[in-house]
Amino acid sequence: MEELPQLPPEVWVYIFSYLSTEEKHTVRSCCRYFKKLIDHPSLWRDYTVVLSDLRRYTYGFWDTLRHRKLTRVAVRHLRRKEWRRLVKFLPSLTAIVFVDGGRLYKKKYLDNLSRFLDLRDVGVRNATWDEAMLGRALSEQLHERLTHLSVCNVRLPCTVEFINTVSFLVNLRYLLFHQQGEGYGLDTVRPVPCGVFHNLLLNLKKLKHLSWGMRGEPPEPLPDDYLSPPDPLQPVRYGGPALTSLELVDYPETILPENALRSLTSLRSLTVRYRYIREGIECRLTSWLSPLQQLETLTIIGGNSLATYTTTIPSSVTRLTLRVAITLKDMDSIAPKVPALEHLDIEQNRSSGSLCRRIPMLFPQLRTLRIRFFRREPEKDLLSLHRLRHLVQLELLVERSFILRDYLNGHPWPSPCVQELINQLRELSENRITVITTMRQRNPLRECDCVWEGD
């Protein structure tokens, strides 16, 4: 300790806030003083710890979690006694996500959730229920507590019954529902009837964020007002919640009509994840985007050619994600439509050409930039990005399959060639740009790219 700088504890805590989880644990093992500082609650705010087989954890482990004031956990299959142990050691949990149970569950399995008096967020991933997942008794106990509910890749006995139960959770602000199937052993997903979906929206008046799985919807288009339930007292008016973000997952192009989003005037963020592309099908995005002149964030994953809707992207968009085949011509047509764009996420594919060379001229206001590389590494034109005067963060992302295929002989990511380009870019920008190199892989807490977070 005598060799350490004599800094106040709060300064050390601030320094430690820049460390990764692994680095924090390394520093924690240095001495008792650092161990105490590393466990400061401010360093673990919104951190999620993954728990399984609770019997193997010591009292010291639980003391550490309590000292850090952890409020978010992800749990794998827990026996009834282990649920009680979790209530005993971490009674102040506010968020619990149940991940990959691997068994067949009954509705009573989640009954212990009602014992967490501060619980606000519940998530369920990759599990099968042979009875109602949320029983009526449990929903009545949680109906005023829950603000976030996330259900992804789950097989339910009856979708309609589940949606009707969720309708009682009147304080929900965030709802994610991506269903895997209905009934044990079936791969099909039955559509949520329009009347049931409308009842959900009419009851959840506080809902702000909706992520809705479209897989299994009927081959014929849904009603024009599927996303716009009429007010029961004034049928000519929209009666649903004032949504600020909408995500449509596994969306088939023709299911929703051209005016499906006409009533969502409060929408600030729109994400469409297409399931497949059909040749010769008219892109509905053109008509969807036209009335959304208040939109700030737009994410398109898959689907039709960019050229079919680039001219209708609202000028209010400041965050744009395009995971589609992109050309320089596409970028030239997009740039005039989004003059204030600050955040861009795109893919560098074979048809992109010298994309990095063009970006500074097309989007001079960018502050953050993410580029996903497929089948090839960043090239020398990456250095052109130093001309983005407002750029503070650049993320270079490659798929895990790319790494495994091309780096099995011990070559790391980033490769020495890419690392040299990064070093040159930092030098040219006078260290203004932070470069992050990421290898994309599946996160057990975010199956299907699901989002589970607060506002």
Side-chain angles (χ1 to χ4, degrees), residues 56-84:
R56 63 191 177 97
Y57 299 125
T58 65
Y59 284 100
F61 172 81
W62 295 113
D63 286 340
T64 297
L65 296 189
R66 280 198 298 265
H67 188 72
R68 294 177 181 177
K69 296 184 179 179
L70 286 176
T71 60
R72 303 170 62 90
V73 300
V75 298
R76 300 191 184 275
H77 174 74
L78 298 183
R79 298 174 178 84
R80 183 173 299 182
K81 289 184 179 179
E82 291 179 308
W83 274 114
R84 291 198 291 264

PDB file of all heavy atoms in Angstrom, residues 56-84:
ATOM      1  N   ARG A  56     -24.093 -24.292  -4.105  1.00  0.00           N
ATOM      2  CA  ARG A  56     -22.631 -24.246  -4.112  1.00  0.00           C
ATOM      3  C   ARG A  56     -22.061 -22.887  -3.713  1.00  0.00           C
ATOM      4  O   ARG A  56     -20.851 -22.746  -3.572  1.00  0.00           O
ATOM      5  CB  ARG A  56     -22.100 -24.630  -5.492  1.00  0.00           C
ATOM      6  CG  ARG A  56     -22.504 -23.707  -6.610  1.00  0.00           C
ATOM      7  CD  ARG A  56     -22.155 -24.308  -7.970  1.00  0.00           C
ATOM      8  NE  ARG A  56     -22.590 -23.470  -9.080  1.00  0.00           N
ATOM      9  CZ  ARG A  56     -21.809 -22.608  -9.707  1.00  0.00           C
ATOM     10  NH1 ARG A  56     -20.548 -22.458  -9.315  1.00  0.00           N
ATOM     11  NH2 ARG A  56     -22.279 -21.894 -10.712  1.00  0.00           N
ATOM     12  N   TYR A  57     -22.921 -21.888  -3.520  1.00  0.00           N
ATOM     13  CA  TYR A  57     -22.444 -20.555  -3.157  1.00  0.00           C
ATOM     14  C   TYR A  57     -22.291 -20.426  -1.650  1.00  0.00           C
ATOM     15  O   TYR A  57     -23.153 -20.856  -0.882  1.00  0.00           O
ATOM     16  CB  TYR A  57     -23.397 -19.475  -3.679  1.00  0.00           C
ATOM     17  CG  TYR A  57     -23.537 -19.471  -5.184  1.00  0.00           C
ATOM     18  CD1 TYR A  57     -24.787 -19.564  -5.786  1.00  0.00           C
ATOM     19  CD2 TYR A  57     -22.418 -19.396  -6.004  1.00  0.00           C
ATOM     20  CE1 TYR A  57     -24.925 -19.571  -7.161  1.00  0.00           C
ATOM     21  CE2 TYR A  57     -22.543 -19.393  -7.386  1.00  0.00           C
ATOM     22  CZ  TYR A  57     -23.801 -19.489  -7.962  1.00  0.00           C
ATOM     23  OH  TYR A  57     -23.924 -19.494  -9.323  1.00  0.00           O
ATOM     24  N   THR A  58     -21.184 -19.809  -1.217  1.00  0.00           N
ATOM     25  CA  THR A  58     -20.891 -19.653   0.207  1.00  0.00           C
ATOM     26  C   THR A  58     -21.575 -18.403   0.761  1.00  0.00           C
ATOM     27  O   THR A  58     -22.045 -17.537   0.015  1.00  0.00           O
ATOM     28  CB  THR A  58     -19.380 -19.536   0.425  1.00  0.00           C
ATOM     29  OG1 THR A  58     -18.911 -18.321  -0.208  1.00  0.00           O
ATOM     30  CG2 THR A  58     -18.647 -20.737  -0.177  1.00  0.00           C
ATOM     31  N   TYR A  59     -21.577 -18.298   2.094  1.00  0.00           N
ATOM     32  CA  TYR A  59     -22.131 -17.096   2.724  1.00  0.00           C
ATOM     33  C   TYR A  59     -21.326 -15.859   2.330  1.00  0.00           C
ATOM     34  O   TYR A  59     -21.882 -14.763   2.201  1.00  0.00           O
ATOM     35  CB  TYR A  59     -22.141 -17.261   4.242  1.00  0.00           C
ATOM     36  CG  TYR A  59     -23.243 -18.161   4.746  1.00  0.00           C
ATOM     37  CD1 TYR A  59     -22.981 -19.488   5.091  1.00  0.00           C
ATOM     38  CD2 TYR A  59     -24.550 -17.694   4.855  1.00  0.00           C
ATOM     39  CE1 TYR A  59     -23.993 -20.327   5.534  1.00  0.00           C
ATOM     40  CE2 TYR A  59     -25.575 -18.516   5.300  1.00  0.00           C
ATOM     41  CZ  TYR A  59     -25.289 -19.835   5.641  1.00  0.00           C
ATOM     42  OH  TYR A  59     -26.290 -20.665   6.076  1.00  0.00           O
ATOM     43  N   GLY A  60     -20.003 -16.039   2.139  1.00  0.00           N
ATOM     44  CA  GLY A  60     -19.183 -14.916   1.708  1.00  0.00           C
ATOM     45  C   GLY A  60     -19.594 -14.391   0.348  1.00  0.00           C
ATOM     46  O   GLY A  60     -19.574 -13.178   0.093  1.00  0.00           O
ATOM     47  N   PHE A  61     -19.984 -15.302  -0.553  1.00  0.00           N
ATOM     48  CA  PHE A  61     -20.445 -14.898  -1.878  1.00  0.00           C
ATOM     49  C   PHE A  61     -21.700 -14.038  -1.770  1.00  0.00           C
ATOM     50  O   PHE A  61     -21.797 -12.975  -2.386  1.00  0.00           O
ATOM     51  CB  PHE A  61     -20.718 -16.157  -2.706  1.00  0.00           C
ATOM     52  CG  PHE A  61     -21.376 -15.878  -4.036  1.00  0.00           C
ATOM     53  CD1 PHE A  61     -20.627 -15.470  -5.115  1.00  0.00           C
ATOM     54  CD2 PHE A  61     -22.750 -16.035  -4.191  1.00  0.00           C
ATOM     55  CE1 PHE A  61     -21.231 -15.228  -6.351  1.00  0.00           C
ATOM     56  CE2 PHE A  61     -23.361 -15.789  -5.407  1.00  0.00           C
ATOM     57  CZ  PHE A  61     -22.597 -15.384  -6.490  1.00  0.00           C
ATOM     58  N   TRP A  62     -22.664 -14.481  -0.968  1.00  0.00           N
ATOM     59  CA  TRP A  62     -23.902 -13.713  -0.810  1.00  0.00           C
ATOM     60  C   TRP A  62     -23.628 -12.378  -0.140  1.00  0.00           C
ATOM     61  O   TRP A  62     -24.240 -11.355  -0.489  1.00  0.00           O
ATOM     62  CB  TRP A  62     -24.920 -14.513   0.003  1.00  0.00           C
ATOM     63  CG  TRP A  62     -25.388 -15.759  -0.680  1.00  0.00           C
ATOM     64  CD1 TRP A  62     -25.147 -17.052  -0.298  1.00  0.00           C
ATOM     65  CD2 TRP A  62     -26.169 -15.848  -1.877  1.00  0.00           C
ATOM     66  NE1 TRP A  62     -25.731 -17.934  -1.168  1.00  0.00           N
ATOM     67  CE2 TRP A  62     -26.364 -17.227  -2.154  1.00  0.00           C
ATOM     68  CE3 TRP A  62     -26.718 -14.905  -2.736  1.00  0.00           C
ATOM     69  CZ2 TRP A  62     -27.086 -17.671  -3.254  1.00  0.00           C
ATOM     70  CZ3 TRP A  62     -27.445 -15.343  -3.834  1.00  0.00           C
ATOM     71  CH2 TRP A  62     -27.626 -16.706  -4.080  1.00  0.00           C
ATOM     72  N   ASP A  63     -22.692 -12.349   0.815  1.00  0.00           N
ATOM     73  CA  ASP A  63     -22.333 -11.083   1.470  1.00  0.00           C
ATOM     74  C   ASP A  63     -21.761 -10.093   0.457  1.00  0.00           C
ATOM     75  O   ASP A  63     -22.033  -8.887   0.521  1.00  0.00           O
ATOM     76  CB  ASP A  63     -21.321 -11.328   2.591  1.00  0.00           C
ATOM     77  CG  ASP A  63     -21.951 -11.972   3.818  1.00  0.00           C
ATOM     78  OD1 ASP A  63     -23.188 -11.876   3.966  1.00  0.00           O
ATOM     79  OD2 ASP A  63     -21.211 -12.571   4.622  1.00  0.00           O
ATOM     80  N   THR A  64     -20.947 -10.608  -0.467  1.00  0.00           N
ATOM     81  CA  THR A  64     -20.370  -9.738  -1.490  1.00  0.00           C
ATOM     82  C   THR A  64     -21.459  -9.143  -2.373  1.00  0.00           C
ATOM     83  O   THR A  64     -21.458  -7.939  -2.663  1.00  0.00           O
ATOM     84  CB  THR A  64     -19.371 -10.520  -2.357  1.00  0.00           C
ATOM     85  OG1 THR A  64     -18.283 -10.976  -1.534  1.00  0.00           O
ATOM     86  CG2 THR A  64     -18.809  -9.650  -3.472  1.00  0.00           C
ATOM     87  N   LEU A  65     -22.418  -9.965  -2.799  1.00  0.00           N
ATOM     88  CA  LEU A  65     -23.509  -9.464  -3.634  1.00  0.00           C
ATOM     89  C   LEU A  65     -24.342  -8.425  -2.895  1.00  0.00           C
ATOM     90  O   LEU A  65     -24.751  -7.413  -3.471  1.00  0.00           O
ATOM     91  CB  LEU A  65     -24.410 -10.620  -4.084  1.00  0.00           C
ATOM     92  CG  LEU A  65     -23.777 -11.686  -4.992  1.00  0.00           C
ATOM     93  CD1 LEU A  65     -24.854 -12.627  -5.515  1.00  0.00           C
ATOM     94  CD2 LEU A  65     -23.012 -11.059  -6.140  1.00  0.00           C
ATOM     95  N   ARG A  66     -24.575  -8.668  -1.616  1.00  0.00           N
ATOM     96  CA  ARG A  66     -25.362  -7.695  -0.830  1.00  0.00           C
ATOM     97  C   ARG A  66     -24.597  -6.396  -0.664  1.00  0.00           C
ATOM     98  O   ARG A  66     -25.178  -5.308  -0.717  1.00  0.00           O
ATOM     99  CB  ARG A  66     -25.714  -8.293   0.532  1.00  0.00           C
ATOM    100  CG  ARG A  66     -26.887  -9.257   0.498  1.00  0.00           C
ATOM    101  CD  ARG A  66     -27.462  -9.460   1.899  1.00  0.00           C
ATOM    102  NE  ARG A  66     -26.457 -10.041   2.780  1.00  0.00           N
ATOM    103  CZ  ARG A  66     -26.336 -11.345   3.017  1.00  0.00           C
ATOM    104  NH1 ARG A  66     -27.149 -12.194   2.424  1.00  0.00           N
ATOM    105  NH2 ARG A  66     -25.409 -11.791   3.834  1.00  0.00           N
ATOM    106  N   HIS A  67     -23.274  -6.493  -0.435  1.00  0.00           N
ATOM    107  CA  HIS A  67     -22.467  -5.286  -0.259  1.00  0.00           C
ATOM    108  C   HIS A  67     -22.452  -4.465  -1.547  1.00  0.00           C
ATOM    109  O   HIS A  67     -22.451  -3.230  -1.495  1.00  0.00           O
ATOM    110  CB  HIS A  67     -21.040  -5.662   0.141  1.00  0.00           C
ATOM    111  CG  HIS A  67     -20.199  -4.484   0.538  1.00  0.00           C
ATOM    112  ND1 HIS A  67     -20.386  -3.794   1.714  1.00  0.00           N
ATOM    113  CD2 HIS A  67     -19.181  -3.861  -0.109  1.00  0.00           C
ATOM    114  CE1 HIS A  67     -19.518  -2.804   1.787  1.00  0.00           C
ATOM    115  NE2 HIS A  67     -18.774  -2.817   0.685  1.00  0.00           N
ATOM    116  N   ARG A  68     -22.459  -5.137  -2.690  1.00  0.00           N
ATOM    117  CA  ARG A  68     -22.500  -4.433  -3.965  1.00  0.00           C
ATOM    118  C   ARG A  68     -23.897  -3.919  -4.295  1.00  0.00           C
ATOM    119  O   ARG A  68     -24.089  -3.207  -5.277  1.00  0.00           O
ATOM    120  CB  ARG A  68     -22.026  -5.366  -5.086  1.00  0.00           C
ATOM    121  CG  ARG A  68     -20.564  -5.768  -4.976  1.00  0.00           C
ATOM    122  CD  ARG A  68     -20.181  -6.753  -6.069  1.00  0.00           C
ATOM    123  NE  ARG A  68     -18.798  -7.173  -5.966  1.00  0.00           N
ATOM    124  CZ  ARG A  68     -18.211  -8.061  -6.757  1.00  0.00           C
ATOM    125  NH1 ARG A  68     -18.909  -8.640  -7.733  1.00  0.00           N
ATOM    126  NH2 ARG A  68     -16.941  -8.385  -6.590  1.00  0.00           N
ATOM    127  N   LYS A  69     -24.873  -4.322  -3.489  1.00  0.00           N
ATOM    128  CA  LYS A  69     -26.268  -3.926  -3.677  1.00  0.00           C
ATOM    129  C   LYS A  69     -26.786  -4.312  -5.061  1.00  0.00           C
ATOM    130  O   LYS A  69     -27.477  -3.535  -5.738  1.00  0.00           O
ATOM    131  CB  LYS A  69     -26.446  -2.423  -3.430  1.00  0.00           C
ATOM    132  CG  LYS A  69     -26.147  -2.010  -2.008  1.00  0.00           C
ATOM    133  CD  LYS A  69     -26.430  -0.535  -1.769  1.00  0.00           C
ATOM    134  CE  LYS A  69     -26.142  -0.155  -0.314  1.00  0.00           C
ATOM    135  NZ  LYS A  69     -26.397   1.283  -0.061  1.00  0.00           N
ATOM    136  N   LEU A  70     -26.445  -5.535  -5.460  1.00  0.00           N
ATOM    137  CA  LEU A  70     -26.907  -6.027  -6.746  1.00  0.00           C
ATOM    138  C   LEU A  70     -28.419  -6.246  -6.726  1.00  0.00           C
ATOM    139  O   LEU A  70     -28.952  -6.797  -5.767  1.00  0.00           O
ATOM    140  CB  LEU A  70     -26.208  -7.334  -7.101  1.00  0.00           C
ATOM    141  CG  LEU A  70     -24.742  -7.211  -7.539  1.00  0.00           C
ATOM    142  CD1 LEU A  70     -24.147  -8.578  -7.777  1.00  0.00           C
ATOM    143  CD2 LEU A  70     -24.622  -6.382  -8.803  1.00  0.00           C
ATOM    144  N   THR A  71     -29.063  -5.817  -7.767  1.00  0.00           N
ATOM    145  CA  THR A  71     -30.526  -5.930  -7.827  1.00  0.00           C
ATOM    146  C   THR A  71     -31.005  -6.705  -9.044  1.00  0.00           C
ATOM    147  O   THR A  71     -32.204  -6.884  -9.219  1.00  0.00           O
ATOM    148  CB  THR A  71     -31.166  -4.529  -7.849  1.00  0.00           C
ATOM    149  OG1 THR A  71     -30.686  -3.814  -8.998  1.00  0.00           O
ATOM    150  CG2 THR A  71     -30.829  -3.754  -6.577  1.00  0.00           C
ATOM    151  N   ARG A  72     -30.071  -7.178  -9.891  1.00  0.00           N
ATOM    152  CA  ARG A  72     -30.449  -7.864 -11.122  1.00  0.00           C
ATOM    153  C   ARG A  72     -29.759  -9.219 -11.180  1.00  0.00           C
ATOM    154  O   ARG A  72     -28.532  -9.307 -11.038  1.00  0.00           O
ATOM    155  CB  ARG A  72     -30.046  -7.042 -12.353  1.00  0.00           C
ATOM    156  CG  ARG A  72     -30.627  -5.640 -12.383  1.00  0.00           C
ATOM    157  CD  ARG A  72     -29.990  -4.813 -13.480  1.00  0.00           C
ATOM    158  NE  ARG A  72     -30.246  -5.372 -14.796  1.00  0.00           N
ATOM    159  CZ  ARG A  72     -31.289  -5.055 -15.552  1.00  0.00           C
ATOM    160  NH1 ARG A  72     -32.176  -4.169 -15.118  1.00  0.00           N
ATOM    161  NH2 ARG A  72     -31.457  -5.596 -16.720  1.00  0.00           N
ATOM    162  N   VAL A  73     -30.518 -10.283 -11.408  1.00  0.00           N
ATOM    163  CA  VAL A  73     -29.941 -11.619 -11.534  1.00  0.00           C
ATOM    164  C   VAL A  73     -30.586 -12.353 -12.699  1.00  0.00           C
ATOM    165  O   VAL A  73     -31.739 -12.091 -13.066  1.00  0.00           O
ATOM    166  CB  VAL A  73     -30.116 -12.464 -10.249  1.00  0.00           C
ATOM    167  CG1 VAL A  73     -29.436 -11.814  -9.058  1.00  0.00           C
ATOM    168  CG2 VAL A  73     -31.584 -12.745  -9.979  1.00  0.00           C
ATOM    169  N   ALA A  74     -29.811 -13.266 -13.287  1.00  0.00           N
ATOM    170  CA  ALA A  74     -30.329 -14.228 -14.250  1.00  0.00           C
ATOM    171  C   ALA A  74     -30.145 -15.598 -13.628  1.00  0.00           C
ATOM    172  O   ALA A  74     -29.072 -15.921 -13.131  1.00  0.00           O
ATOM    173  CB  ALA A  74     -29.570 -14.133 -15.575  1.00  0.00           C
ATOM    174  N   VAL A  75     -31.179 -16.395 -13.608  1.00  0.00           N
ATOM    175  CA  VAL A  75     -31.121 -17.702 -12.955  1.00  0.00           C
ATOM    176  C   VAL A  75     -31.471 -18.798 -13.947  1.00  0.00           C
ATOM    177  O   VAL A  75     -32.329 -18.635 -14.816  1.00  0.00           O
ATOM    178  CB  VAL A  75     -32.083 -17.768 -11.743  1.00  0.00           C
ATOM    179  CG1 VAL A  75     -31.685 -16.751 -10.694  1.00  0.00           C
ATOM    180  CG2 VAL A  75     -33.529 -17.550 -12.170  1.00  0.00           C
ATOM    181  N   ARG A  76     -30.781 -19.922 -13.807  1.00  0.00           N
ATOM    182  CA  ARG A  76     -31.151 -21.105 -14.563  1.00  0.00           C
ATOM    183  C   ARG A  76     -32.068 -21.933 -13.667  1.00  0.00           C
ATOM    184  O   ARG A  76     -32.521 -21.446 -12.632  1.00  0.00           O
ATOM    185  CB  ARG A  76     -29.894 -21.849 -14.997  1.00  0.00           C
ATOM    186  CG  ARG A  76     -28.986 -20.965 -15.876  1.00  0.00           C
ATOM    187  CD  ARG A  76     -27.891 -21.752 -16.522  1.00  0.00           C
ATOM    188  NE  ARG A  76     -26.989 -20.867 -17.262  1.00  0.00           N
ATOM    189  CZ  ARG A  76     -27.188 -20.450 -18.499  1.00  0.00           C
ATOM    190  NH1 ARG A  76     -28.269 -20.845 -19.144  1.00  0.00           N
ATOM    191  NH2 ARG A  76     -26.338 -19.648 -19.100  1.00  0.00           N
ATOM    192  N   HIS A  77     -32.347 -23.158 -14.031  1.00  0.00           N
ATOM    193  CA  HIS A  77     -33.350 -23.931 -13.296  1.00  0.00           C
ATOM    194  C   HIS A  77     -33.074 -23.945 -11.801  1.00  0.00           C
ATOM    195  O   HIS A  77     -32.002 -24.353 -11.348  1.00  0.00           O
ATOM    196  CB  HIS A  77     -33.396 -25.366 -13.814  1.00  0.00           C
ATOM    197  CG  HIS A  77     -34.294 -26.246 -13.018  1.00  0.00           C
ATOM    198  ND1 HIS A  77     -35.674 -26.154 -13.100  1.00  0.00           N
ATOM    199  CD2 HIS A  77     -34.029 -27.195 -12.095  1.00  0.00           C
ATOM    200  CE1 HIS A  77     -36.210 -27.032 -12.275  1.00  0.00           C
ATOM    201  NE2 HIS A  77     -35.234 -27.682 -11.665  1.00  0.00           N
ATOM    202  N   LEU A  78     -34.026 -23.438 -11.019  1.00  0.00           N
ATOM    203  CA  LEU A  78     -33.916 -23.433  -9.563  1.00  0.00           C
ATOM    204  C   LEU A  78     -34.993 -24.326  -8.967  1.00  0.00           C
ATOM    205  O   LEU A  78     -36.155 -24.275  -9.372  1.00  0.00           O
ATOM    206  CB  LEU A  78     -34.085 -22.008  -9.009  1.00  0.00           C
ATOM    207  CG  LEU A  78     -33.053 -20.963  -9.437  1.00  0.00           C
ATOM    208  CD1 LEU A  78     -33.334 -19.650  -8.726  1.00  0.00           C
ATOM    209  CD2 LEU A  78     -31.639 -21.428  -9.150  1.00  0.00           C
ATOM    210  N   ARG A  79     -34.584 -25.123  -7.995  1.00  0.00           N
ATOM    211  CA  ARG A  79     -35.564 -25.921  -7.257  1.00  0.00           C
ATOM    212  C   ARG A  79     -36.295 -25.017  -6.278  1.00  0.00           C
ATOM    213  O   ARG A  79     -35.875 -23.898  -6.001  1.00  0.00           O
ATOM    214  CB  ARG A  79     -34.856 -27.065  -6.515  1.00  0.00           C
ATOM    215  CG  ARG A  79     -34.154 -28.038  -7.462  1.00  0.00           C
ATOM    216  CD  ARG A  79     -33.348 -29.071  -6.685  1.00  0.00           C
ATOM    217  NE  ARG A  79     -32.706 -30.029  -7.592  1.00  0.00           N
ATOM    218  CZ  ARG A  79     -31.556 -29.823  -8.201  1.00  0.00           C
ATOM    219  NH1 ARG A  79     -30.900 -28.678  -7.997  1.00  0.00           N
ATOM    220  NH2 ARG A  79     -31.044 -30.732  -9.003  1.00  0.00           N
ATOM    221  N   ARG A  80     -37.388 -25.532  -5.723  1.00  0.00           N
ATOM    222  CA  ARG A  80     -38.211 -24.697  -4.841  1.00  0.00           C
ATOM    223  C   ARG A  80     -37.405 -24.178  -3.657  1.00  0.00           C
ATOM    224  O   ARG A  80     -37.518 -23.006  -3.273  1.00  0.00           O
ATOM    225  CB  ARG A  80     -39.419 -25.500  -4.355  1.00  0.00           C
ATOM    226  CG  ARG A  80     -40.375 -24.683  -3.490  1.00  0.00           C
ATOM    227  CD  ARG A  80     -41.634 -25.450  -3.169  1.00  0.00           C
ATOM    228  NE  ARG A  80     -42.357 -25.781  -4.388  1.00  0.00           N
ATOM    229  CZ  ARG A  80     -43.524 -26.426  -4.386  1.00  0.00           C
ATOM    230  NH1 ARG A  80     -44.065 -26.814  -3.250  1.00  0.00           N
ATOM    231  NH2 ARG A  80     -44.135 -26.697  -5.515  1.00  0.00           N
ATOM    232  N   LYS A  81     -36.552 -25.036  -3.068  1.00  0.00           N
ATOM    233  CA  LYS A  81     -35.732 -24.594  -1.938  1.00  0.00           C
ATOM    234  C   LYS A  81     -34.751 -23.500  -2.360  1.00  0.00           C
ATOM    235  O   LYS A  81     -34.442 -22.602  -1.589  1.00  0.00           O
ATOM    236  CB  LYS A  81     -34.984 -25.780  -1.335  1.00  0.00           C
ATOM    237  CG  LYS A  81     -35.872 -26.763  -0.587  1.00  0.00           C
ATOM    238  CD  LYS A  81     -35.031 -27.857   0.048  1.00  0.00           C
ATOM    239  CE  LYS A  81     -35.915 -28.836   0.838  1.00  0.00           C
ATOM    240  NZ  LYS A  81     -35.112 -29.927   1.451  1.00  0.00           N
ATOM    241  N   GLU A  82     -34.251 -23.582  -3.610  1.00  0.00           N
ATOM    242  CA  GLU A  82     -33.301 -22.569  -4.078  1.00  0.00           C
ATOM    243  C   GLU A  82     -33.991 -21.228  -4.301  1.00  0.00           C
ATOM    244  O   GLU A  82     -33.392 -20.170  -4.067  1.00  0.00           O
ATOM    245  CB  GLU A  82     -32.627 -23.064  -5.354  1.00  0.00           C
ATOM    246  CG  GLU A  82     -31.686 -24.238  -5.113  1.00  0.00           C
ATOM    247  CD  GLU A  82     -31.039 -24.725  -6.387  1.00  0.00           C
ATOM    248  OE1 GLU A  82     -31.780 -24.988  -7.366  1.00  0.00           O
ATOM    249  OE2 GLU A  82     -29.808 -24.856  -6.409  1.00  0.00           O
ATOM    250  N   TRP A  83     -35.237 -21.246  -4.741  1.00  0.00           N
ATOM    251  CA  TRP A  83     -35.989 -19.991  -4.842  1.00  0.00           C
ATOM    252  C   TRP A  83     -36.099 -19.334  -3.467  1.00  0.00           C
ATOM    253  O   TRP A  83     -35.924 -18.123  -3.333  1.00  0.00           O
ATOM    254  CB  TRP A  83     -37.389 -20.254  -5.400  1.00  0.00           C
ATOM    255  CG  TRP A  83     -37.481 -20.287  -6.893  1.00  0.00           C
ATOM    256  CD1 TRP A  83     -37.775 -21.356  -7.674  1.00  0.00           C
ATOM    257  CD2 TRP A  83     -37.295 -19.186  -7.790  1.00  0.00           C
ATOM    258  NE1 TRP A  83     -37.778 -21.007  -9.002  1.00  0.00           N
ATOM    259  CE2 TRP A  83     -37.478 -19.674  -9.104  1.00  0.00           C
ATOM    260  CE3 TRP A  83     -36.964 -17.848  -7.613  1.00  0.00           C
ATOM    261  CZ2 TRP A  83     -37.369 -18.867 -10.228  1.00  0.00           C
ATOM    262  CZ3 TRP A  83     -36.859 -17.032  -8.734  1.00  0.00           C
ATOM    263  CH2 TRP A  83     -37.058 -17.542 -10.019  1.00  0.00           C
ATOM    264  N   ARG A  84     -36.382 -20.149  -2.446  1.00  0.00           N
ATOM    265  CA  ARG A  84     -36.490 -19.597  -1.088  1.00  0.00           C
ATOM    266  C   ARG A  84     -35.148 -19.046  -0.613  1.00  0.00           C
ATOM    267  O   ARG A  84     -35.100 -18.032   0.088  1.00  0.00           O
ATOM    268  CB  ARG A  84     -37.016 -20.668  -0.134  1.00  0.00           C
ATOM    269  CG  ARG A  84     -38.470 -21.056  -0.384  1.00  0.00           C
ATOM    270  CD  ARG A  84     -39.067 -21.761   0.818  1.00  0.00           C
ATOM    271  NE  ARG A  84     -38.491 -23.080   1.010  1.00  0.00           N
ATOM    272  CZ  ARG A  84     -39.029 -24.210   0.561  1.00  0.00           C
ATOM    273  NH1 ARG A  84     -40.144 -24.162  -0.155  1.00  0.00           N
ATOM    274  NH2 ARG A  84     -38.461 -25.365   0.785  1.00  0.00           N
TER     275      ARG A  84
END
